[in-house]
Amino acid sequence: MASLAEGRAPGCVVLARAPDEDDWRRTADEVTAGHEQRMERLRARSGSGVERQRAVLERAYGDVMSTLPYEHGRTRSWPLPGGPAAWDALAARVMFECRSD
């Protein structure tokens, strides 16, 4: 999230399951709504220190969101019919569609 906010692509991405998606999403939405309200109030202000306050709020928001629980749950997979050759053929097709990877 931080690299995207800074206009950069992340070095890697980890896909993880949230322990309870509904609870996690509700908490994330509440945190985000509070952050947006604080940022809106800050936009209405002027004077010295506003940029520093904005930076502190952005950093705090990232810190809070990063502490929401994630669970590295088990992922399920099955052998691909056709083995490694089938995998290589699928990967080649996907790489053609996503050239930046």
Side-chain angles (χ1 to χ4, degrees):
M1 190 185 293
S3 9
L4 295 176
E6 295 171 356
R8 296 181 299 144
C12 69
V13 176
V14 175
L15 300 178
R17 293 180 184 174
D20 181 333
E21 179 66 25
D22 292 335
D23 287 344
W24 189 96
R25 177 60 47 203
R26 188 173 21 264
T27 301
D29 289 345
E30 289 170 4
V31 169
T32 299
H35 171 70
E36 289 171 349
Q37 289 170 359
R38 285 186 288 281
M39 293 300 288
E40 189 61 35
R41 286 193 303 266
L42 189 60
R43 277 190 276 283
R45 295 175 52 194
S46 61
S48 64
V50 171
E51 279 304 309
R52 188 175 72 74
Q53 290 173 348
R54 185 195 60 75
V56 168
L57 285 175
E58 291 289 355
R59 190 174 315 112
Y61 173 66
D63 290 345
V64 169
M65 292 299 286
S66 71
T67 63
L68 292 180
Y70 294 92
E71 177 181 284
H72 289 56
R74 182 182 323 180
T75 58
R76 307 219 185 273
S77 64
W78 292 266
L80 181 67
W87 172 258
D88 290 340
L90 285 171
R93 284 195 304 239
V94 171
M95 290 306 293
F96 178 73
E97 294 172 13
C98 306
R99 296 173 197 215
S100 64
D101 290 345

